[in-house]
């Protein structure tokens, strides 16, 4: 770690790396390129792109994207933390959660922008909420992380419910048409 380039108020974004996280029903595993094949099937429903646009990636495209994600951010002040969501009782992957951690100049700490996606067959079972809550609690335990945010399409009620469940609140701010949701982590 290069402390001369990556410090902001004593916090190091590049020191935040994905670690295994477990909940009552889920195992969040740090993303590996090897997850691409199973995840291509999990994320293969075009309906998952209704609010974010685009289309599902095929296995090769997903494998290449995962390789870039695992390699990490080209900005040494930014950390890309990505997990797959495993449902151990089913022995299957069900989705992903992620956190992009970067300096937050206004607070002197780090902010984590989070996102989640759960495959269609696993939706409506509280998996996204449970994973997002676990992610927020994991971020709360990381030194220097002072806020969590997410951007959610204003018509995506399910994602709004996940954000609310994880402790985030909507703001009046919009980014690319999406509502900015925030959680300040008391330090």
């Amino acid at each position: 770690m290069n402390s001369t380039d990556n410090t902001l108020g004593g916090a190091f974004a590049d020191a935040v790396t994905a670690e295994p996280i477990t909940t009552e029903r889920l195992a969040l595993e740090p993303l590996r390129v090897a997850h691409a094949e199973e995840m291509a099937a999990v994320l293969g429903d075009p309906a998952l792109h209704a609010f974010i646009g685009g289309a599902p990636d095929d296995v090769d495209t997903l494998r290449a994207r995962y390789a870039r994600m695992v390699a990490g951010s080209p900005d040494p002040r930014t950390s890309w933390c990505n997990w797959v969501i495993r449902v151990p009782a089913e022995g299957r992957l069900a989705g992903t959660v992620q956190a992009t951690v970067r300096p937050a100049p206004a607070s002197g700490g780090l902010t984590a922008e989070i996102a989640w996606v759960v495959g269609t067959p696993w939706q409506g079972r509280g998996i996204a909420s449970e994973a997002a809550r676990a992610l927020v609690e994991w971020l709360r335990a990381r030194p220097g992380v002072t806020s969590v945010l997410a951007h959610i399409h204003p018509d995506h009620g399910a994602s709004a419910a996940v954000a609310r469940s994880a402790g985030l609140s909507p703001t009046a701010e919009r980014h690319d048409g999406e509502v900015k949701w925030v959680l300040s982590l008391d330090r």
Side-chain angles (χ1 to χ4, degrees):
M1 181 173 356
N2 182 342
S3 63
T4 60
D5 294 334
N6 303 332
T7 60
L8 182 71
F12 292 82
D14 65 350
V16 180
T17 57
E19 301 168 341
I21 302 170
T22 57
T23 71
E24 184 177 324
R25 299 182 301 152
L26 307 174
L28 307 184
E29 301 173 4
L31 180 70
R32 296 187 330 261
V33 175
H35 288 126
E37 188 168 340
E38 187 174 355
M39 286 306 299
V42 170
L43 303 175
D45 184 351
L48 290 175
H49 296 267
F51 292 102
I52 60 172
D57 289 333
D58 62 29
V59 173
D60 291 334
T61 303
L62 198 57
R63 190 175 292 120
R65 181 159 55 106
Y66 284 2
R68 288 189 303 276
M69 293 165 72
V70 168
S73 171
D75 180 348
R77 297 171 304 142
T78 299
S79 179
W80 291 343
C81 300
N82 297 279
W83 294 262
V84 292
I85 302 168
R86 181 172 301 282
V87 181
E90 298 176 17
R92 305 236 2 232
L93 298 180
T96 64
V97 291
Q98 64 186 48
T100 299
V101 182
R102 62 176 55 98
S107 72
L110 300 170
T111 189
E113 183 170 351
I114 66 172
W116 51 85
V117 63
V118 170
T120 307
W122 296 275
Q123 291 179 4
R125 296 169 42 188
I127 290 171
S129 292
E130 187 172 333
R133 283 192 306 270
L135 177 56
V136 166
E137 287 311 307
W138 183 85
L139 288 164
R140 186 182 302 278
R142 309 283 69 81
V145 178
T146 57
S147 62
V148 178
L149 67 93
H151 291 95
I152 300 172
H153 191 284
D155 296 330
H156 200 319
S159 274
V162 170
R164 194 170 285 108
S165 170
L168 284 76
S169 299
T171 69
E173 290 183 55
R174 298 283 195 272
H175 183 267
D176 291 334
E178 294 184 321
V179 176
K180 180 178 178 181
W181 289 64
V182 297
L183 170 64
S184 177
L185 302 177
D186 298 325
R187 297 286 176 187

